[in-house]
Amino acid sequence: MAVHTEKEIKELIKSMTLEEKCSLLSGADYWHTKSIERLGINPIMVSDGPHGLRKQNLEKEESSANESIKAICFPAACATASSFDRNVLKKLGDTLAKECQQQDVSTILGPAVNIKRSPLCGRNFEYISEDPYLAGELAASYINSVQSHHVGTSIKHFALNNQEFRRLTASSNCDERTMREIYLTAFEKAVKQSQPATIMHSYNLINHAYAGESKWLLTDVLRREWGFKGIVMSDWGAVNDRVKGLSAGQDLEMPSSRGINDKKVEEAVKKNPEIEKTLDETCERLLKWIFEFQDNREKGEFDFAKHHEIARELEEECIVLLKNDGILPLKKETKLAVIGEFANKPRIQGGGSSHINTTTVVSPLEALKNVGVSFEYAQGYCIDRTEDEDAALVKEAVALAEKCNTVIFFAGLPDSYESEGYDREHLNLPPVQNKLIEQIVKVNKNIIIVLQNGSPVLMHWAKDVKAIVEAYLGGEAVGEAIVNVLTGKVNPSGKLAETFPLRLEDTPAYLSFSKDRHNVDYGEGVFVGYRYYDSRNMEVAYPFGFGLSYTTFEYTDISTSKDSFSDAETVTVTVSVKNTGSVAGKEAVQLYIRDNTGVTIRPEKELKGFEKIMIEPGQTRTVSFTLDKRSLAWYNTDIHEWYAASGEYDILIGASSRDIRLTKKISFKTDVHLIKFIEPNTTVGDLMEDERTKDIIKNFTDRNQQQNKEVDSSEKEAITDKMNAEMLKGTPLRTLHTMGYNLAEEDFEKLLEDLKKAIQ
């Protein structure tokens, strides 16, 4: 099939009527773009994702937008993020893209990279992490893999959509530094590393302007600064003012608005022909997206059996072993009790727009039987009865636990506890499950807890059980993956992509999350997730990056390619990791940076690198990371750019944010100056820190202090040298003129002139 060139697309646009151009601005229905038959422009279909196809069943005329075809349910993002492995996301993307090509789906609506600001967010199960570096790196790998098959992605939800409460009308109020460092970074990394075909803007307002109408967000930052070339589509029903949205950079409204908003744009162009230039640019982006899929069709593949096995393999990389007092892997001679309805009816995915209509779900009970493990089963509780116990079920479960050597208890959150559309009210498991665990602990100490949940839960019984396995929402093959980990066929290697707190009240956004009907104030700033807990040295249940293995790893020999570097340079960090145990295993080695310059408020440490490697028993492997200026930088709103101060930084290599094994110092030198201009309110402290001005201001203050140093004894007691020095740092130049030094006007002007010359 011929590929449409840029020239041909521009000619197509010239031949369109105004009405035809405007028709492309919204969907034809819930999932398709519009066609213009006379010009050979055919519709394309998008489908929900990102962990499986939720394609509407078009073969049934009466099917609703939410009735989807049978498809493979892969692990949700809460699970795949815990792989800490770009290759896992690459494999997922490759498989989904083949399914999309086979099903004539042009674009899969994902990945979702909104930061997990609070564990209460109802949609956290499909978001990647509390850390923007991890989220961005994994998202970019997924996007590159999908789009290598000419299938588009739609990274979402841009931006600051971090709660479900009033998400269509609430304003996310956030300072620019926090936005840049925490909430925009994952999108920025994905755009620069993978150029997603589309970006889906969020429902919410940002600082009281709708995301879809923010020219600063969609044009200034996204297109001009980051270089985004694709289309911006709305979340479904997120359009407020279509004309404002078009001017801001909003290309496609989804779903269909029955032509209402298209007509509004048409009328606006008639009144102001200047808008048509923007309209033409939008149409060009839309046609490039449409033809990218149509001109590059592949045969595709939707092999249910093969892709089910891939779903299992992916989940095996994601399961996190949180605790193990030597009880795992399971001993073959163990008399085993399996308790919990989740063992028979596993929760494999979250609720809402990403819900997959799967064909084959293998439960843990089936998987245990398939591998020949002997056990007895008791239901224990009803998933849908979260408050009231069934006395008979409880009695049966406790009796079974008492007579067996080992208990595997399957716990988790039911669909009603976390879903798109509303936020969680607490972090607890259903009371019936907690109460049953408490009763079983009294009769059997050999308890293994297996969790199926989309976000953190509180575990007050953690100290009383022997092992805890976090499976998250692991897709349709979750049962097989869990059993392979429990039996030792697979050595667990997952690491938490989010912190598990001890209390809801400990979470950084506790005071402001989902509290106000109109405003969401991001008062915690950059201190989100482990950045908050680690900076406060606060005890947590399980830290970011944590996960155990059936083997052990020793970290040694950290080295850097150079001891210092500057703005345009990079440095390579190398570390050796040895498997000191008796079984092969994978380790996710993590690199964090600590800023020791003291120039601004920074978190105690920040993730800036991770690599997952397989190591055989006794083998040592080398892991390398590359650092650049951005690895050290924070967003400085005074100069409106990423800034790393000159000085010392610590490179921290660890197995989690709380398990730092190796540390090495490195120096950085920047040619970027914070002082861009001199004015009367420029402070002495800032001038002292700038190489260009420090001698001028120091000579001036030293000279004048000498002239005024004769003071009586009582003044010396009241005003110490240290007090003088500290007060001077915050003193603006204008105060030197009007107080203290009694400068003549010409002397003050001369000082300003000398300082201004120094920074030119």
Side-chain angles (χ1 to χ4, degrees):
M1 184 180 293
V3 175
H4 287 77
T5 65
E6 187 172 329
K7 182 180 178 181
E8 289 171 337
I9 288 173
K10 289 182 183 293
E11 290 300 319
L12 267 179
I13 294 170
K14 287 180 182 178
S15 64
M16 289 182 193
T17 65
L18 176 59
E19 183 180 1
E20 287 172 333
K21 291 178 184 178
C22 293
S23 73
L24 293 178
L25 298 181
S26 64
D29 52 30
Y30 219 76
W31 303 111
H32 294 86
T33 61
K34 292 199 188 81
S35 63
I36 302 176
E37 291 184 12
R38 74 177 187 88
L39 297 176
I41 299 171
N42 299 315
I44 57 172
M45 185 178 193
V46 302
S47 175
D48 264 318
H51 62 275
L53 287 189
R54 196 176 73 87
K55 177 187 175 184
Q56 185 178 353
N57 190 347
L58 300 177
E59 295 180 3
K60 295 176 64 177
E61 292 184 8
E62 70 280 8
S63 71
S64 70
N66 292 315
E67 184 177 349
S68 57
I69 63 168
K70 294 291 185 180
I72 304 296
C73 181
F74 297 94
C78 58
T80 53
S82 296
S83 71
F84 264 71
D85 192 342
R86 296 170 184 84
N87 288 326
V88 165
L89 276 296
K90 180 180 178 181
K91 191 170 187 177
L92 173 60
D94 179 72
T95 308
L96 283 172
K98 291 173 182 176
E99 294 183 356
C100 286
Q101 281 284 5
Q102 199 274 335
Q103 285 291 318
D104 199 23
V105 171
S106 78
T107 301
I108 191 162
L109 303 179
V113 298
N114 294 98
I115 295 300
K116 298 183 180 186
R117 178 177 177 242
S118 168
L120 291 178
C121 178
R123 211 166 176 176
N124 274 357
F125 60 83
E126 69 171 285
Y127 295 156
I128 294 176
S129 179
E130 69 186 32
D131 181 78
Y133 180 89
L134 179 65
E137 288 288 319
L138 295 181
S141 181
Y142 174 91
I143 293 165
N144 279 325
S145 183
V146 171
Q147 294 188 171
S148 68
H149 294 276
H150 304 286
V151 172
T153 57
S154 190
I155 191 169
K156 59 187 185 181
H157 308 88
F158 193 56
L160 282 87
N161 182 180
N162 308 102
Q163 67 181 46
E164 293 299 284
F165 178 69
R166 298 252 173 173
R167 62 178 176 167
L168 276 74
T169 57
S171 178
S172 297
N173 303 325
C174 185
D175 67 273
E176 187 180 3
R177 179 186 168 190
T178 298
M179 270 196 273
R180 296 278 194 165
E181 292 186 28
I182 304 297
Y183 298 102
L184 299 186
T185 291
F187 292 99
E188 179 188 4
K189 289 182 76 68
V191 167
K192 291 180 175 179
Q193 294 180 24
S194 60
Q195 274 292 339
T198 82
I199 281 184
M200 184 188 295
H201 77 71
S202 55
Y203 291 109
N204 52 284
L205 297 88
I206 299 175
N207 295 330
H208 306 288
Y210 276 102
E213 296 168 17
S214 172
K215 183 174 180 294
W216 174 81
L217 184 69
L218 303 184
T219 297
D220 296 345
V221 173
L222 179 60
R223 295 196 189 281
R224 293 175 183 163
E225 187 180 323
W226 297 350
F228 178 61
K229 301 183 187 307
I231 73 158
V232 174
M233 70 166 66
S234 73
D235 202 341
W236 268 231
V239 171
N240 174 59
D241 186 315
R242 189 64 185 95
V243 177
K244 283 185 179 179
L246 179 69
S247 298
Q250 180 192 83
D251 297 309
L252 178 64
E253 175 186 13
M254 288 300 288
S256 168
S257 58
R258 296 177 288 112
I260 293 172
N261 282 332
D262 300 344
K263 194 69 177 176
K264 288 179 180 178
V265 174
E266 187 178 340
E267 293 301 318
V269 173
K270 289 176 181 178
K271 292 177 183 177
N272 181 8
E274 287 294 314
I275 298 176
E276 191 159 9
K277 180 183 178 183
T278 301
L279 176 60
D280 288 350
E281 292 171 352
T282 289
C283 288
E284 183 175 347
R285 289 192 289 263
L286 287 166
L287 291 178
K288 285 180 178 178
W289 169 54
I290 290 168
F291 291 135
E292 169 66 19
F293 179 70
Q294 292 184 345
D295 293 350
N296 295 282
R297 289 306 314 278
E298 297 177 3
K299 182 179 179 181
E301 177 185 86
F302 210 129
D303 186 323
F304 280 90
K306 179 181 177 182
H307 292 185
H308 176 88
E309 287 304 300
I310 291 174
R312 175 188 56 76
E313 292 168 3
L314 295 179
E315 170 64 1
E316 288 171 354
E317 298 282 349
C318 305
I319 291 174
V320 185
L321 182 60
L322 295 178
K323 181 178 181 180
N324 185 23
D325 287 348
I327 197 170
L328 291 175
L330 289 170
K331 311 299 185 292
K332 289 185 178 180
E333 65 278 5
T334 297
K335 187 176 182 182
L336 189 64
V338 177
I339 296 173
E341 192 174 14
F342 274 119
N344 187 43
K345 297 178 181 178
R347 182 162 176 250
I348 65 172
Q349 61 183 319
S353 60
S354 63
H355 195 86
I356 308 303
N357 183 14
T358 188
T359 57
T360 306
V361 177
V362 179
S363 72
L365 288 184
E366 291 176 271
L368 284 166
K369 292 175 183 175
N370 292 341
V371 298
V373 174
S374 298
F375 64 91
E376 292 185 59
Y377 171 67
Q379 181 179 329
Y381 59 85
C382 296
I383 292 173
D384 296 329
R385 290 177 59 181
T386 61
E387 301 291 332
D388 301 323
E389 300 176 31
D390 184 313
L393 292 180
V394 170
K395 184 178 180 180
E396 177 192 22
V398 173
L400 177 60
E402 191 170 15
K403 76 173 187 177
C404 290
N405 301 121
T406 302
V407 176
I408 306 176
F409 189 100
F410 284 82
L413 298 178
D415 283 331
S416 61
Y417 269 48
E418 51 182 357
S419 173
E420 179 181 359
Y422 58 88
D423 295 312
R424 299 169 68 190
E425 296 179 359
H426 52 73
L427 301 182
N428 300 316
L429 286 170
V432 292
Q433 295 182 36
N434 278 328
K435 291 176 183 176
L436 183 52
I437 292 172
E438 290 167 2
Q439 292 191 55
I440 291 173
V441 164
K442 295 176 182 177
V443 300
N444 194 322
K445 300 300 181 184
N446 295 320
I447 303 171
I448 301 161
I449 303 290
V450 179
L451 294 170
Q452 296 172 49
N453 46 296
S455 46
V457 294
L458 302 183
M459 295 173 266
H460 63 273
W461 33 256
K463 64 183 184 302
D464 300 320
V465 302
K466 290 290 181 68
I468 303 173
V469 176
E470 175 58 85
Y472 277 115
L473 305 182
E476 64 180 53
V478 66
E480 295 156 296
I482 288 171
V483 168
N484 285 344
V485 167
L486 293 177
T487 58
K489 182 178 180 180
V490 170
N491 189 350
S493 60
K495 302 274 191 173
L496 291 179
E498 59 191 329
T499 306
F500 275 45
L502 285 172
R503 305 185 311 154
L504 175 60
E505 293 83 355
D506 291 342
T507 57
Y510 174 70
L511 293 176
S512 60
F513 185 83
S514 290
K515 297 290 197 300
D516 190 286
R517 294 160 65 89
H518 306 294
N519 293 285
V520 187
D521 294 325
Y522 287 57
E524 67 279 3
V526 298
F527 294 92
V528 176
Y530 72 91
R531 286 168 166 81
Y532 173 79
Y533 299 111
D534 290 3
S535 296
R536 292 198 62 193
N537 196 24
M538 180 182 289
E539 188 178 356
V540 297
Y542 299 101
F544 175 85
F546 176 80
L548 301 174
S549 171
Y550 293 151
T551 190
T552 53
F553 301 98
E554 180 184 40
Y555 291 58
T556 58
D557 302 327
I558 183 173
S559 63
T560 53
S561 57
K562 57 185 80 171
D563 293 328
S564 63
F565 69 113
S566 58
D567 293 314
E569 297 179 316
T570 61
V571 62
T572 301
V573 182
T574 305
V575 61
S576 296
V577 183
K578 181 179 181 179
N579 184 339
T580 53
S582 58
V583 295
K586 293 183 179 181
E587 176 72 334
V589 184
Q590 300 156 49
L591 183 152
Y592 298 85
I593 291 291
R594 178 190 293 132
D595 183 349
N596 295 322
T597 66
V599 171
T600 193
I601 298 171
R602 300 285 301 271
E604 196 272 338
K605 66 176 76 74
E606 295 177 288
L607 182 74
K608 298 298 177 181
F610 64 93
E611 294 293 338
K612 191 171 186 178
I613 51 171
M614 168 63 85
I615 315 178
E616 297 296 325
Q619 182 186 24
T620 298
R621 290 194 60 187
T622 299
V623 182
S624 295
F625 304 92
T626 300
L627 301 178
D628 57 13
K629 170 188 172 180
R630 182 67 181 267
S631 304
L632 311 180
W634 51 283
Y635 192 81
N636 189 309
T637 54
D638 290 333
I639 60 175
H640 300 288
E641 63 181 79
W642 291 90
Y643 176 76
S646 296
E648 282 197 341
Y649 296 78
D650 286 335
I651 299 169
L652 311 172
I653 303 293
S656 79
S657 76
R658 293 287 179 94
D659 185 7
I660 301 302
R661 307 287 182 89
L662 302 169
T663 302
K664 191 176 192 314
K665 291 192 180 300
I666 193 161
S667 296
F668 181 78
K669 175 69 174 175
T670 183
D671 292 327
V672 176
H673 299 288
L674 295 182
I675 298 178
K676 298 297 185 183
F677 57 90
I678 302 291
E679 51 142 5
N681 278 315
T682 303
T683 66
V684 172
D686 289 345
L687 294 166
M688 289 286 196
E689 292 173 357
D690 194 306
E691 293 289 332
R692 302 166 300 171
T693 57
K694 71 176 184 180
D695 288 340
I696 297 171
I697 194 67
K698 187 175 186 302
N699 289 337
F700 171 81
T701 55
D702 286 351
R703 183 173 64 250
N704 283 276
Q705 282 173 344
Q706 286 294 323
Q707 295 172 2
N708 295 282
K709 78 176 189 177
E710 290 303 323
V711 294
D712 62 34
S713 59
S714 63
E715 186 175 346
K716 284 184 178 179
E717 292 177 6
I719 303 176
T720 65
D721 289 342
K722 182 176 181 180
M723 177 181 173
N724 263 327
E726 292 301 317
M727 289 178 65
L728 189 60
K729 289 180 183 179
T731 299
L733 288 174
R734 60 175 168 76
T735 305
L736 300 183
H737 178 34
T738 58
M739 296 174 61
Y741 297 122
N742 299 315
L743 285 182
E745 185 70 33
E746 58 268 24
D747 292 332
F748 181 66
E749 292 299 329
K750 176 68 166 56
L751 175 62
L752 289 179
E753 183 181 348
D754 290 345
L755 291 169
K756 288 176 180 178
K757 284 181 180 178
I759 68 169
Q760 288 177 353

